[in-house]
Amino acid sequence: MAAWLFVAPAFIAYAAFVLAPLCMSIYYSLLRWDGIGEAQFYGLSNYVTVLTDSDLLQIIGNAFQLVLYFTLIPVLLGLAVAAAIRSHMAGRFGTITRTVLFLPQVIPLVAAGIAWSWMFASTGLVNQTLKAIGLSSWARGWLGDFVWALPAVGVIGAWVLLGLCTMLLVTGITKIDPSLYEAARLDGARPWHEFRYITLPGLRQEIGVCITVTVIAALASFDIVYISTQGGPGITTTVPGLEIYRLAFAHRQVGLASALAIVLMVLVLISIAPVQWFTRDKK
């Protein structure tokens, strides 16, 4: 009884703000309802629509494409930076590097989206730089291009998440015993061998956290896409989070929006479950 009393406050809050809305979403996903009038039981028809409608499938695919940018770039660059400043983390250089890389985390996503929208504009900094170095043929309206709009959004997300991944990996690398690196160097190991056989295994859990956080950020993205492109051109940058908002509040299809939200939740769980299994502490 004492244990349940200690758990009760947290459980009540979790039930009120997570479990109850989740159950309501599952219930709404079985209805045909505009959010105001009388609801009609619709069964699994909303789920069938989500899994068969070509536009909705493309929108879900857009989110998985963003995973490549939101996850691979921050994790790989974060590993490279963490390994590069490993021996200088106690000095001024390490402090300045960590501060600069972490700055995107303290900038509101709305402000970041607006700033990058200006940079990717036809007369923005990106195109001006390309023209200055003789690559005028590459200049374009990046966020309005059907081919390059989604990669441009991916770059924004990668920039935002790079600092978080780097800080997690830098913090994790400090727990690795320095004597392991000294012993490896005495045995003639090269920097690549130190990275492959000491740094990577020592950062397994931190890498798992980075991948989990960035995959969730990609699949559940909304802010950056809404501010930078609003899902355009067409639906080339529309992601499930933005489509759920549109279906529920613009098109009054609450049931379909709820079904898409449940499908998105399941996809997130399926995506991060293997990561958690592979990176858990196996004893």
Side-chain angles (χ1 to χ4, degrees):
M1 180 60 68
W4 280 107
L5 290 175
F6 279 110
V7 171
F11 178 76
I12 292 173
Y14 185 78
F17 294 102
V18 178
L19 296 182
L22 175 60
C23 293
M24 291 174 64
S25 296
I26 295 174
Y27 171 68
Y28 290 151
S29 69
L30 302 175
L31 304 177
R32 185 175 186 178
W33 185 40
D34 62 3
I36 300 174
E38 183 179 354
Q40 299 176 355
F41 183 75
Y42 211 45
L44 298 178
S45 299
N46 288 322
Y47 291 97
V48 173
T49 301
V50 170
L51 298 176
T52 57
D53 185 271
S54 59
D55 287 345
L56 292 179
L57 290 176
Q58 180 182 342
I59 289 168
I60 294 174
N62 291 341
F64 278 98
Q65 289 185 53
L66 287 182
V67 171
L68 300 177
Y69 298 94
F70 280 47
T71 300
L72 287 183
I73 296 177
V75 172
L76 293 179
L77 286 182
L79 279 171
V81 172
I85 68 173
R86 175 178 58 82
S87 58
H88 305 284
M89 285 187 293
R92 181 176 299 176
F93 173 78
T95 302
I96 295 175
T97 302
R98 291 195 299 268
T99 303
V100 171
L101 290 172
F102 194 71
L103 278 177
Q105 290 298 308
V106 300
I107 298 176
L109 288 179
V110 173
I114 293 174
W116 276 96
S117 297
W118 292 342
M119 293 175 64
F120 278 130
S122 300
T123 57
L125 179 62
V126 174
N127 284 333
Q128 291 182 15
T129 302
L130 291 174
K131 293 176 182 178
I133 61 177
L135 296 176
S136 301
S137 59
W138 281 84
R140 66 195 72 234
W142 296 90
L143 294 174
D145 190 280
F146 279 86
V147 176
W148 291 99
L150 191 62
V153 172
V155 169
I156 301 174
W159 176 80
V160 171
L161 293 168
L162 174 61
L164 174 63
C165 290
T166 302
M167 290 301 297
L168 287 172
L169 296 171
V170 166
T171 303
I173 211 172
T174 58
K175 74 177 184 181
I176 301 176
D177 190 349
S179 63
L180 294 176
Y181 293 99
E182 296 176 5
R185 283 192 292 269
L186 290 174
D187 289 337
R190 297 179 178 275
W192 163 250
H193 296 124
E194 294 180 13
F195 179 78
R196 169 65 180 83
Y197 295 105
I198 300 176
T199 304
L200 277 182
L203 293 177
R204 184 176 58 191
Q205 291 182 323
E206 286 75 14
I207 292 173
V209 172
C210 289
I211 294 176
T212 300
V213 171
T214 53
V215 167
I216 293 175
L219 296 180
S221 56
F222 175 83
D223 321 56
I224 295 175
V225 177
Y226 183 78
I227 294 299
S228 58
T229 66
Q230 293 189 356
I235 59 171
T236 54
T237 62
T238 303
V239 289
L242 181 58
E243 186 65 12
I244 291 169
Y245 167 78
R246 287 178 175 172
L247 288 173
F249 298 103
H251 302 294
R252 297 290 185 181
Q253 294 177 283
V254 177
L256 184 58
S258 299
L260 180 57
I262 299 301
V263 170
L264 177 61
M265 181 194 70
V266 173
L267 291 175
V268 169
L269 294 177
I270 293 174
S271 300
I272 66 174
V275 176
Q276 294 296 305
W277 188 84
F278 281 115
T279 60
R280 67 181 178 179
D281 190 11
K282 300 176 182 178
K283 298 183 180 179

